[in-house]
Amino acid sequence: MRQIKTWVQLYVDWITRIGIIRFSLLLAFCIISIAVVIQGTITLLLRGVVDVVDLVRSVFFGLLVTPWAAYFLTAVIDELEDSRRRLTDMVHKLQIMRERDQALNQRLQSNISQLNNQIEETRRAEAARLRVLSELEAEAIQREKAQKELEEQSALLRSFLDSSPDLVFYRNEREEFLSCNRALETLLGRSRDDIIGRTPYGVYEPQMAEQIISRDREVFEKNQPITYELWFPYPDGRRACFEMRQVPFFAAHGERLGLVGFGRDITEHKQYQDELEKASRDKTTFISTISHELRTPLNGVVGLSHILLDTPLNDLQRQYLNTIHLSAVTLGNIFNDIIDLDKIERRKLKIARSKIDLRQLLADLQTLSSLMVEAKGLYLHFDIDGDVPHWIMADGTRLRQILWNVLSNAVKFTAEGGITFGVQVSPSEENKVYLRFDIEDTGIGIPEHEQQNIFAMYYQVPGTKRAVGTGIGLAITKQLVETMGGSIHVDSELGHGSCFTIELEATVLPDSQNDEAEAMLAQELPPLRILLVEDIALNITVATAMLNKLGHQVDAAMTGREALAKFQPERYDLVLLDIQLPDMTGFDIADELRQRYPEKLPPLVALTANLINDPSQYQQHGMQAVIGKPLALGNLRKTLNELFVGCALPSESEVVVEAPNKYVLDLPFLEDFTGVVGCDVMVSAIDLFAQSMPEYLKILNSALTARDKQGIVEEAHKIKSAAGAIGLKRIHQLAQQAQSPDLPAWQENINDWIDSICAEYQGDLECLRQWVQQQRTETQTAQ
């Protein structure tokens, strides 16, 4: 079928190419030819002969058929051509329609895509709208829930604030109250609505309002919290002390809105504090009184036994009298320990330096300790190595107390053998020497793990309960030694005795002064007329006996009024004043005499058993010297020589001195440190320590109040590290003790250690600043 279509197409193409006439002629020829061939073939087959007539007939048949064939074929061709043209047109049109359909289809697809996009966008927008609506709905629910929670929290906060006994209030920068709790309403006797919007002038008394406003301004100026105490009156007339804490508060973007105030009723605390202070004063008064009362009979025992020892006695009587004298001296040293314990507790322990005869001090100590060891059948060996200076500047009372405590302990714990007392002297700086005292015994010894514990307050080595004591002697000795700028340590082996080593530095007076002082003391005093003001008959007897033995005349007065009535400037060369009298104090008598006779007054000397007072207090009342009770003949003779032969009293700056830099500061470390990094870096480190210390102490004290041992240890460790980093030796050592809860009697001593840190660190810091400034000045001078 496809082949026929091809031939037909070729036929049509051929006719179109040669034309219709040529096609007709060619068709006629073809038909005639075909007719002749067919006629001839048929005739030949039928008759066997082909005639011309047959050929002519075939020609005429062809000629007759040709027009009709040509017409038919032409018509067919025309129809076919027309059909083809129409078909072509239709195909063209179809092509155009197809292209248009394709364009429409494309546009339709584009529109469909756009529509789909619009539908998708609409769907998304709808989904987003639904999501936004959902979020808004959730947010609304959340907001409603948050609002409800906020209202609940506000109600809870309001309930909490109203239930708090502490005052809570808010004020803006115009000093107007924004809100307050029920405690403030109760305190002021006003409702909250009546308080809000008012300034302090509208709710407090004018004077109190002015004080509060000044505190508010301080908060706003410094932008820092402040704490202060204020007494508030209640509407019923009661007054209560409140610890007020006011802090600035800010908005989220940093704008200051005003201040928040808190007030805690500390009335009971103040009362308790007052009771503690009163108890402390009562205890001091008690110690002063009991010291005075006990030293009065002790004065008689020591003085009279000392006088009797210079009289003819048999051996037994001398032995008994030595024992009495030794016991009285020992009791006096116990009094000194008790008084020093009170001073340590009140941070009043001072060192009073004066000129002392070191050789005489050691001789007296040897005499007394000889009496003590003889009673137990022990030997005593004094070994002095080096040239012991004669006159030094030191606190003779403290030095004697230190050595006596260690010596008496050595005798106490030694049953067989004896005591060796060694003294080594080595030069230090100009006019200074190092004194080393070694007190070695053959007693019971101390276990190695207990050797540092024995210096703790109230501590006694387990297993020594048969020994009499309270556990304060060595603790006080260590405090005294360190306050004098020295050190003490022990070397011992259980069962083989102990050796206590004490190292101190002392200033040696120049030889010219020593020779002059010795010459002056060697001079014989002229007989003096002395007025003795003393209310105890026994003390009068002892003092009179001693003074008479020295060749002086004594008049006694037992009250202040009697002394003022008896006294005449030209009648007496010296006035000895007891401090505690029935009707007035020795200070009152001294002040009255100075007022009456400002130019003719003889020397005034205080006689007292109360050694708690600062020695400078006596000088403020015009007293040239102080003699402690019980009276010792050596002290009495020395004071009289100083006053009447020409030995000058030390100046006030020499009388009372604080602990030296050697104990306060770690000088070797500081010298190395400043030598490497310079003084400027050291000053920066000091400033940083000064800024950090208040916060350290605040946390440390809060941990102490809460009895939080771990908190105490952690904060004390920080202080120890910080103090050690800038060479504050004393603070470093105190913090080291505070951070070591395994130390014996740690619980009993931790309050004292922390109090010492709080009380001493600023003074030590100032001492360090002065040392750095001195180093800087020396460096600049050297350059």
Side-chain angles (χ1 to χ4, degrees), residues 700 703-704 706-716 738-742 746-747 750:
L700 182 62
L704 179 64
R707 292 297 171 187
D708 180 7
K709 182 182 290 187
Q710 185 61 31
I712 294 172
V713 170
E714 292 176 356
E715 211 58 28
Q739 75 153 26
S740 307
D742 295 332
W746 181 86
Q747 197 68 44
I750 185 61

Side-chain angles (χ1 to χ4, degrees), residues 441 444-448 451 490-500:
D441 63 65
I444 61 176
I446 306 169
E448 183 177 358
Q451 290 180 14
V490 61
D491 183 17
S492 180
E493 183 178 352
L494 187 62
H496 294 82
S498 305
C499 180
F500 284 82

